Amino acid sequence: VGESYRILGELEKAFNHFQRVLDVDRDVLEPHYGLALIHWQRQEWQQLMDELGKIERIDPGNETGSYYSALCACELDYPTEETIAALQEQIRRSGPDAFLFSALAREYIKAGMSELSEKWYQKAITLSERHRPAHLGLISLYREKDDPARLEEAYRRYLELFDDDAGARRDFIHFLVEQEHFERAAEQIQKYIPRRKNDKRLQRLLALCYRRTERFREASIIYRQRLREA
């Protein structure tokens, strides 16, 4: 029952069910797994680590517990020498895994070894094309490395898969304008603006892109519309 609630997204009901089971017997593994997954979904990292400690006490060396412990330690900013070693061990034990690959890439960046991170993000995407953390990780990495060509490619690839991420598309538009790629920026604004019809700043930005690409008629239409609404 608890797992059904969790899958349906009713996490509070699932949490209460698992707790009631544990009130009867604290050493049953299944409700501890359920609580751990709820904490994972809620990104409650310390509570997750506490729950994983209970799983380890009941079943020392538990593979599921070890897997999530390695990932959770990264979120809790454990020392990178510990997290990198734990992730590498999990990859050896569990085999290819997009979450492990992405986490390892992030830990290399934290450790000042960003030159090692790109290939692990790419491995994660090869394994699971829609693995969002790896795509966002590459965007962040290329921005940090000031690599505009790869950054643009990473944004495009991400937005092809996650077209509904309005925040990422907005950031991509601003990046293109900063790079003075006004035609490409206009294309992205045209995709974004139907969701933000009343965003006057976005409309002014579109008009600017039109003007800078000599599409004066389209720019003048927007400016006249803005004047009528002033």
Side-chain angles (χ1 to χ4, degrees):
V1 175
E3 183 62 9
S4 297
Y5 282 138
R6 189 188 69 80
I7 292 170
L8 291 171
E10 299 195 51
L11 299 185
E12 194 61 34
K13 289 183 179 180
F15 185 90
N16 292 335
H17 175 82
F18 291 133
Q19 287 286 17
R20 285 196 298 271
V21 174
L22 290 173
D23 287 341
V24 177
D25 187 348
R26 308 298 295 178
D27 291 334
V28 180
L29 272 175
E30 284 71 17
H32 285 293
Y33 286 144
L35 291 175
L37 289 171
I38 289 171
H39 292 314
W40 171 267
Q41 288 178 258
R42 289 175 168 173
Q43 299 185 352
E44 297 170 342
W45 307 120
Q46 187 57 60
Q47 295 93 321
L48 172 56
M49 190 63 89
D50 293 343
E51 200 63 48
L52 295 170
K54 296 172 185 177
I55 292 172
E56 176 65 19
R57 177 184 60 79
I58 297 168
D59 183 22
N62 182 280
E63 291 185 5
T64 301
S66 297
Y67 172 86
Y68 282 102
S69 291
L71 293 171
C72 189
C74 302
E75 301 293 345
L76 291 171
D77 290 326
Y78 280 32
T80 52
E81 60 268 24
E82 295 179 19
T83 56
I84 289 171
L87 291 166
Q88 289 171 334
E89 177 60 23
Q90 280 303 308
I91 291 169
R92 283 192 289 270
R93 291 169 59 177
S94 305
D97 181 280
F99 285 100
L100 294 174
F101 288 171
S102 287
L104 183 58
R106 289 197 310 274
E107 294 306 296
Y108 278 135
I109 292 171
K110 290 181 190 177
M113 297 184 285
S114 59
E115 69 278 3
L116 299 177
S117 64
E118 181 178 5
K119 75 171 184 178
W120 289 102
Y121 281 136
Q122 295 288 10
K123 282 175 177 283
I125 291 169
T126 298
L127 194 63
S128 177
E129 187 182 22
R130 293 187 62 84
H131 186 66
R132 191 187 294 258
H135 287 283
L136 294 175
L138 283 175
I139 288 171
S140 178
L141 176 64
Y142 295 143
R143 186 185 298 114
E144 184 68 25
K145 293 172 69 174
D146 193 21
D147 189 337
R150 288 187 176 181
L151 179 54
E152 181 173 350
E153 180 185 353
Y155 266 124
R156 289 189 183 281
R157 189 173 181 185
Y158 174 74
L159 288 168
E160 284 174 4
L161 296 167
F162 302 101
D163 180 68
D164 61 340
D165 191 333
R169 192 172 301 280
R170 184 184 62 246
D171 291 344
F172 186 31
I173 289 166
H174 287 302
F175 161 76
L176 290 171
V177 172
E178 288 170 1
Q179 296 294 311
E180 298 188 354
H181 298 319
F182 296 108
E183 185 173 350
R184 301 206 285 276
E187 291 173 0
Q188 293 300 318
I189 295 171
Q190 287 166 342
K191 293 179 181 179
Y192 182 46
I193 208 166
R195 303 170 188 172
R196 302 288 298 274
K197 292 180 179 179
N198 297 321
D199 190 328
K200 296 180 181 178
R201 288 190 302 175
L202 196 61
Q203 292 171 353
R204 287 196 297 268
L205 187 58
L206 180 58
L208 170 67
C209 292
Y210 283 154
R211 190 158 50 82
R212 295 296 294 270
T213 54
E214 300 184 359
R215 296 168 65 178
F216 300 117
R217 182 175 178 276
E218 289 100 324
S220 67
I221 291 171
I222 295 174
Y223 287 134
R224 285 198 299 271
Q225 180 67 29
R226 296 274 59 80
L227 286 170
R228 282 197 295 271
E229 294 175 357

